[in-house]
Amino acid sequence: MLDWAVRDIKYLPGVGPQRAALLEKELQIVSFKDLLYYFPYKYVDRSRLYTIGEIDGNMPYIQLRGKVLSFETFGEGAKRRLVGHFSDGTGVIDLVWFQGLKFVTGRYKANEEYLVFGKPVVFNNRISVVHPEMETVGELTFSSLGLRPYYNTTERMKRSMMTSNAIEKLMNHLFQALQHEVFEETLSPRLVAEHHLMPLADALYNIHFPKTPDLLRKAQYRLKFEELFYVQLNILRYTKERRFKYRGYVFGKVGEAFHTFYTHYLPFELTNAQKRVIREMRRDMGSGRQMNRLLQGDVGSGKTLVALMTMLIAVDNGFQSCLMAPTEILAVQHLETITRFLSGMKIRVELLTGSVKGKKRETILRDLLTGDVHILIGTHAVLEDTVNFSSLGLVVIDEQHRFGVAQRAKLWAKNVCPPHVLVMTATPIPRTLAMTLYGDLDVSVIDELPPGRKPIQTLHQFDNRRPSLYAFIRQQLQSGRQAYIVYPLIQESEKMDIKNLEEGYLHICEAFPEYQVSKVHGKMKPAEKDGEMQRFLQCETQIMVATTVIEVGVNVPNASVMVIENAERFGLSQLHQLRGRVGRGADQSYCILVTGYKLSEDTRRRIEIMVRTNDGFEIAEADLKLRGPGDLEGTQQSGIAFDLKIADIARDGQLLQHVRGIAERLLEEDPNAERPENAVVWRRLLEMRRQQANWSVIS
Ligand code: ADP
Ligand code: MG
């Protein structure tokens, strides 16, 4: 590492011990290099003044110059807002504040001239800028700059006057301090030349102080390229090493258990997708290396059956299997399904959850050790140290995102070699994201539903049409079906006008006096929750009013209606998961998205996608585009240090695939990391790994 890079930030002119402490606490900036790599989150073109007269609905952040004619407040309490009527002589727009009203009126005066920065939005033919940034004209310092950088700061920093402006000044000092220093290139000369990349030193300068949009674009491209390239190189190399390091048990044959089941017990024909996936796994498990496979398939695509047949291959090779589910009720359901499939065959299946105790538990633990139990189904309870196998060869994990990395790693220790691992998820992950999150897992996809399923019909309904909605639900209940009604929150939040679960429950009880209604939410004790789910499953209750706790896995084939209240408050993948609770039987099922009348553009798009398609992958792609990857399920728990500084997987998917190819070629050409021309690359990779020491076992 270069000298200057590790220099303590407090020695930078303008910083000092106090600001250094703040920078460390709030932004983890400790060294010169940390500051250098603190990139702006946006840029504002301050080389140009716009006029109100030329604003249209489609503009980025712009700069205006004019006066506030007057301030006015509207509304009460949490809904209070301050509006400043702002004019530059060519028109009038509204500057709007929802927070910090006192601060604004104290600081800015009517009839003084200001520069205003912000993104204009057009609503009902009026133009407004929400929470604009304002400066007095006298403060102008930027005349020589093209695009001006904006840095994220925290509340605490702002209170100490460490604004974006202040950071910009520090960045200026930093480049002055570094003007005679060397910036060591982090990509090999060949990569830089072949892919026409901006040299690192130029890119770092231009990412902070771009003179033109074109230079900014080139700087961004260079830095994103590098970031994604090393992420991919790391994953690819790690995968290679792991394959080399861990031998797997060889499941060399497909024998009696599998064949008997397939020919005599399987009640239907497998779909082609199921057949393909089973073939893929047979190949893995027979190869002598340990299988690590992610199985993606929409709800109802028949993953459980695939898992079962894989476990039968384990049986045929003298190994035990373990199937883990995230909740007790799901584990019980798996047990029932699998016992039903296997009834008549001499295969012993047992259930181990927290509530299996005493004698029963002892027997199971003993018979696991002798190998008498072939398939163990359970919850987290199977991870306990007291649970040991005679020869665990395969672990299946259902609904993977509920299990942390550490928990999965625990299973590895339950036999001499790590068992084969099959992770199943119904939350489709777009390809680009899967590459990064699960870059070392092989991915299988069931992209076909069993024949004869009626696609769920999805409708959008405004919440003032309740009578017709209830009439529809009643009609379904009368024909013997059941219905879910899902609410986004448990308690009413002051700010948002949300029909909460409790209120909804009472309302539904009143509206359907002739039916029994269940209520389930996240704050209930697990046993209570399971009990209520059971009642619904047994059709003792016909309506289930719930929060999103029902999202994962539970199978009630008789339920044919899913009503989602305040659908605007749910993300796409959540809506899709909820919808997947119905459509599991032979009857036509319906999903009804209930929303208020006023919808944002994003919400409108989400609803439109849901109504149009049942395809989970299409929805996942759309979700990624609308939301960005940060919120997607699985990203937090994935176990990979997922802190990209500049690349955005949602938007940079193409670049990601491009650099993955480049990383693959480099590994092929230089498998032992010994070519001098790549020295820079290998050194950088090593450095990265040292920084993320816990980049460890993913499954
Ligand atoms: P998933 O776990 O992927 O959501 P399941 O494994 O629970 O789906 O399967 C959903 C339903 O479809 C189950 O009732 C299962 O028995 C049935 N099923 C699975 N595969 C087939 C198939 N090939 N043909 C017909 N029905 C199937
Ligand atoms: Mg399932």
Side-chain angles (χ1 to χ4, degrees), residues 210-262:
K211 279 265 183 328
T212 65
D214 187 50
L215 285 171
L216 174 60
R217 205 180 44 72
K218 290 197 171 102
Q220 284 170 327
Y221 183 80
R222 144 80 208 212
L223 294 168
K224 286 179 180 183
F225 182 106
E226 169 173 352
E227 189 166 48
L228 294 173
F229 172 76
Y230 279 109
V231 167
Q232 289 304 324
L233 190 66
N234 198 2
I235 292 173
L236 290 167
R237 195 161 161 89
Y238 167 76
T239 309
K240 235 179 85 177
E241 284 165 9
R242 205 200 50 203
R243 285 190 183 156
F244 181 71
K245 201 153 116 198
Y246 297 112
R247 307 284 310 156
Y249 296 112
V250 181
F251 290 5
K253 62 176 181 200
V254 173
E256 201 196 323
F258 187 95
H259 285 308
T260 310
F261 177 75
Y262 189 75

Side-chain angles (χ1 to χ4, degrees), residues 554-617:
V554 176
N555 194 13
V556 182
N558 191 46
S560 65
V561 183
M562 167 63 66
V563 177
I564 305 178
E565 293 279 355
N566 289 105
E568 60 265 56
R569 309 210 60 81
F570 292 92
L572 262 181
S573 71
Q574 227 179 356
L575 289 173
H576 182 61
Q577 286 289 305
L578 286 169
R579 176 167 62 183
R581 297 306 101 212
V582 295
R584 307 189 140 227
D587 299 289
Q588 177 64 56
S589 288
Y590 304 88
C591 174
I592 299 155
L593 307 172
V594 182
T595 70
Y597 214 72
K598 266 194 187 151
L599 296 177
S600 72
E601 196 48 41
D602 265 13
T603 309
R604 216 181 291 280
R605 227 173 293 156
R606 283 204 299 273
I607 304 267
E608 183 247 317
I609 290 165
M610 286 295 295
V611 169
R612 175 164 51 84
T613 181
N614 277 309
D615 180 337
F617 282 94

Side-chain angles (χ1 to χ4, degrees), residues 303-304 334 398-399:
K303 294 184 295 293
T304 312
H334 278 317
D398 196 12
E399 305 296 354

Side-chain angles (χ1 to χ4, degrees), residues 268-271 274 297-305 341 450-451 453 555 584:
F268 35 65
E269 183 66 15
L270 293 177
T271 63
Q274 284 172 318
D298 232 327
V299 277
S301 61
K303 294 184 295 293
T304 312
L305 185 66
F341 271 129
R453 292 278 168 83
N555 194 13
R584 307 189 140 227

Side-chain angles (χ1 to χ4, degrees), residues 41-264:
Y41 70 95
K42 71 171 184 194
Y43 304 82
V44 176
D45 183 357
R46 297 184 70 166
S47 61
R48 172 165 189 229
L49 270 178
Y50 285 77
T51 59
I52 291 176
E54 49 180 335
I55 295 178
D56 61 43
N58 219 347
M59 283 184 153
Y61 283 82
I62 60 163
Q63 167 176 252
L64 299 162
R65 178 176 180 158
K67 292 177 180 174
V68 178
L69 304 175
S70 61
F71 286 104
E72 235 184 311
T73 46
F74 296 92
E76 284 304 317
K79 294 206 170 125
R80 240 161 83 90
R81 67 181 199 277
L82 174 69
V83 173
H85 305 289
F86 179 85
S87 167
D88 66 353
T90 70
V92 182
I93 62 167
D94 290 344
L95 308 179
V96 185
W97 290 268
F98 297 101
Q99 278 155 9
L101 275 54
K102 266 221 191 90
F103 173 82
V104 174
T105 45
R107 172 145 179 202
Y108 304 113
K109 308 266 175 306
N111 292 314
E112 292 225 349
E113 195 161 48
Y114 292 103
L115 284 171
V116 167
F117 307 95
K119 186 172 165 45
V121 290
V122 181
F123 196 74
N124 284 343
N125 278 328
R126 285 186 74 81
I127 299 166
S128 54
V129 177
V130 177
H131 284 201
E133 294 177 41
M134 292 173 61
E135 269 180 40
T136 51
V137 175
E139 287 171 21
L140 280 177
T141 52
F142 54 84
S143 50
S144 68
L145 291 175
L147 298 164
R148 185 164 179 197
Y150 275 71
Y151 299 92
N152 272 318
T153 57
T154 64
E155 278 309 310
R156 191 190 296 231
M157 290 172 72
K158 282 190 193 116
R159 265 184 265 131
S160 311
M161 302 308 282
M162 282 284 276
T163 56
S164 171
N165 251 325
I167 296 195
E168 185 187 347
K169 284 203 187 105
L170 293 185
M171 217 54 92
N172 260 312
H173 292 315
L174 182 66
F175 278 102
Q176 265 161 30
L178 298 182
Q179 61 183 322
H180 301 297
E181 303 284 358
V182 182
F183 286 57
E184 205 171 68
E185 183 52 65
T186 39
L187 289 169
S188 65
R190 184 174 149 195
L191 283 172
V192 172
E194 236 167 50
H195 303 285
H196 311 288
L197 300 173
M198 188 184 255
L200 180 65
D202 295 353
L204 285 172
Y205 184 77
N206 278 289
I207 203 72
H208 293 288
F209 301 115
K211 279 265 183 328
T212 65
D214 187 50
L215 285 171
L216 174 60
R217 205 180 44 72
K218 290 197 171 102
Q220 284 170 327
Y221 183 80
R222 144 80 208 212
L223 294 168
K224 286 179 180 183
F225 182 106
E226 169 173 352
E227 189 166 48
L228 294 173
F229 172 76
Y230 279 109
V231 167
Q232 289 304 324
L233 190 66
N234 198 2
I235 292 173
L236 290 167
R237 195 161 161 89
Y238 167 76
T239 309
K240 235 179 85 177
E241 284 165 9
R242 205 200 50 203
R243 285 190 183 156
F244 181 71
K245 201 153 116 198
Y246 297 112
R247 307 284 310 156
Y249 296 112
V250 181
F251 290 5
K253 62 176 181 200
V254 173
E256 201 196 323
F258 187 95
H259 285 308
T260 310
F261 177 75
Y262 189 75
T263 23
H264 299 297

Side-chain angles (χ1 to χ4, degrees), residues 320-339:
Q320 294 164 299
S321 308
C322 175
L323 168 60
M324 290 210 300
T327 65
E328 172 133 16
I329 189 161
L330 280 173
V332 171
Q333 223 166 50
H334 278 317
L335 177 80
E336 283 165 0
T337 312
I338 286 177
T339 328

